[in-house]
């Protein structure tokens, strides 16, 4: 299965996190700490009712697990130092009550090394015997999986911009799909044989399969994380497919002209139906869809046109 990862800007992740935390703690109980004036004290949000503070952090994706973990650990270390240095101000925010939890809120947490680092920092801070830290104080890392799926969907729908990163399918994934799709590959080979020279058909088919899998992975990710957006995009794709089936392809007569016209038209239709989706993602979904149309139907090219 091709992996899909949200590409968060720091501001978008912080806004998204606020929506999640308001439901977790209640709108009246969650408070934001602006960073524009004299720093953020090592926290972005806090809940005095439960003595917990949050630091939001999204690494620049895509990266590997080790790099992601190292950056998260570094962020924990850096911001806990800020927290300790800002103790007098933090005590005022928490009304003199001892802090129970410091949470790094991230889009994706998938390394036990970060948990081990949190445990070490918990022990280090407890050992300082600070009067503003509760005896049960804990450093934690939470990600989206700690929240109900419906809450994540609602928060995703409220975003003004959405950008997803799709990993390139592995050789094993490509081989597994190809092994069970010989008829589709044969269909694409015939169609793309009208588009490229004989010696390049195999590579063109492989490129089409990869685009199909990447586009399909994006659509699947939207189905689970942003169902309203998925429904609108699916409707736009179906509308273009029906038009293509009835009226035939645009941009002819050459296969290249047809492909460019259909890609541009479908990308525009997807963007019109889902303005919050990034241009890159719209193009990837459009290319994947057109690749599927070539593998199956309704897209074909005229014979004997160079």
């Amino acid at each position: 299965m091709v992996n899909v990862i949200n590409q968060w800007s720091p501001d978008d992740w912080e806004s998204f996190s606020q929506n999640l935390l308001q439901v977790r703690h209640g709108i009246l109980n969650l408070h934001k700490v602006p960073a524009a004036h004299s720093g953020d004290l090592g926290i972005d949000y806090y809940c005095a009712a439960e003595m917990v503070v949050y630091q939001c952090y999204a690494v620049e994706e895509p990266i590997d697990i080790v790099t992601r973990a190292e950056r998260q650990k570094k962020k924990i270390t850096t911001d806990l130092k800020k927290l300790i240095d800002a103790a007098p101000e933090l005590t005022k925010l928490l009304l003199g009550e001892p802090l129970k939890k410091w949470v790094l809120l991230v889009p994706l947490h998938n390394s036990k090394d970060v948990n081990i680092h949190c445990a070490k920092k918990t022990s280090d801070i407890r050992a300082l015997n600070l009067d503003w830290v509760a005896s049960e104080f804990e450093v934690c890392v939470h990600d989206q999986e700690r929240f109900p799926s419906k809450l994540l969907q609602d928060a995703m729908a409220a975003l003004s911009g959405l950008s997803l990163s799709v990993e390139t399918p592995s050789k094993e994934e490509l081989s597994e799909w190809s092994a069970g799709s010989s008829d589709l590959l044969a269909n694409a080979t015939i169609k793309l044989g009208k588009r490229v020279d004989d010696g390049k058909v195999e590579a063109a088919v492989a490129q089409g399969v990869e685009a199909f899998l990447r586009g399909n992975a994006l659509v699947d990710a939207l189905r689970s994380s942003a169902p309203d957006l998925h429904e609108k995009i699916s409707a736009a794709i179906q509308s273009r497919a029906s038009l293509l089936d009835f009226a035939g392809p645009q941009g002819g007569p050459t296969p290249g002209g047809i492909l460019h016209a259909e890609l541009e038209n479908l990308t525009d239709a997807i963007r019109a139906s889902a303005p919050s989706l990034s241009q890159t993602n719209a193009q990837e979904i459009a290319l994947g869809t057109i690749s599927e149309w070539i593998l199956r139907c309704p897209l074909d090219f005229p014979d004997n046109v160079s």
Side-chain angles (χ1 to χ4, degrees):
M1 180 179 179
V2 182
N3 290 325
V4 179
I5 301 172
N6 286 75
Q7 291 181 307
W8 293 100
S9 71
D11 289 342
D12 284 344
W13 175 243
E14 187 172 323
S15 297
F16 184 78
S17 298
Q18 178 175 327
N19 291 334
L20 301 181
L21 295 174
Q22 282 179 336
V23 175
R24 173 181 278 184
H25 296 289
I27 293 177
L28 295 180
N29 290 329
L30 185 74
H31 308 284
K32 177 181 174 64
V33 181
H37 186 199
S38 302
D40 59 7
L41 312 181
I43 61 176
D44 290 316
Y45 299 100
Y46 68 97
C47 174
E50 299 184 50
M51 293 299 120
V52 56
V53 299
Y54 294 90
Q55 178 64 53
C56 305
Y57 179 58
V59 301
E60 186 175 347
E61 299 284 0
I63 53 175
D64 57 64
I65 292 177
V66 173
T67 304
R68 185 182 301 109
E70 288 301 316
R71 292 181 183 177
Q72 290 174 350
K73 287 158 58 179
K74 182 177 179 181
K75 180 66 173 176
I76 290 169
T77 299
T78 300
D79 282 51
L80 284 175
K81 183 180 185 305
K82 289 183 185 178
L83 188 78
I84 293 173
D85 291 344
E89 294 168 288
L90 181 66
T91 300
K92 293 176 184 178
L93 288 181
L94 298 179
L95 306 177
E97 296 295 324
L99 179 64
K100 294 181 179 179
K101 287 186 185 295
W102 182 94
V103 182
L104 184 71
L105 189 57
V106 297
L108 178 62
H109 162 49
N110 57 354
S111 171
K112 71 178 185 305
D113 288 354
V114 182
N115 295 84
I116 294 172
H117 189 68
C118 286
K120 180 182 183 304
K121 289 301 177 182
T122 296
S123 297
D124 290 347
I125 292 179
R126 286 182 182 180
L128 295 176
N129 293 316
L130 302 169
D131 56 8
W132 55 273
V133 173
S135 59
E136 69 272 26
F137 173 79
E138 186 177 12
V139 176
C140 310
V141 57
H142 290 180
D143 66 6
Q144 297 177 79
E145 293 185 1
R146 297 294 296 263
F147 298 87
S149 59
K150 181 61 169 63
L151 174 57
L152 293 173
Q153 292 171 5
D154 291 343
M156 194 74 71
L159 288 176
S160 60
L162 177 61
S163 180
L164 304 172
S165 173
V166 189
E167 292 186 358
T168 300
S170 65
K171 291 182 179 179
E172 292 75 14
E173 289 166 336
L174 291 170
S175 297
E176 181 180 352
W177 186 90
S178 298
S181 309
S182 56
D183 291 346
L184 298 181
L185 292 175
N187 198 28
T189 299
I190 293 172
K191 292 181 180 181
L192 291 174
K194 306 171 187 178
R195 166 77 178 90
V196 298
D197 298 335
D198 291 343
K200 299 179 179 179
V201 174
E202 184 177 350
V205 171
Q207 185 178 10
V209 170
E210 180 179 315
F212 161 67
L213 292 177
R214 287 170 60 90
N216 197 52
L218 273 173
V219 172
D220 283 345
L222 291 172
R223 181 184 291 111
S224 60
S225 63
D228 291 343
L229 204 62
H230 171 267
E231 185 176 341
K232 293 176 182 178
I233 292 171
S234 296
I237 291 173
Q238 183 57 49
S239 176
R240 288 298 309 172
S242 298
L243 181 61
L244 176 62
D245 191 42
F246 179 76
Q250 295 181 299
T254 66
I258 290 171
L259 279 175
H260 280 288
E262 292 298 332
L263 179 59
E264 182 177 349
N265 290 335
L266 184 55
T267 300
D268 289 344
I270 291 172
R271 286 283 288 157
S273 68
S276 61
L277 188 68
S278 72
Q279 176 73 15
T280 298
N281 286 163
Q283 288 178 333
E284 288 176 313
I285 291 174
L287 183 57
T289 300
I290 289 171
S291 297
E292 183 177 12
W293 289 350
I294 292 173
L295 288 162
R296 306 181 193 277
C297 58
L299 184 60
D300 199 352
F301 309 114
D303 293 320
N304 301 320
V305 178
S306 60

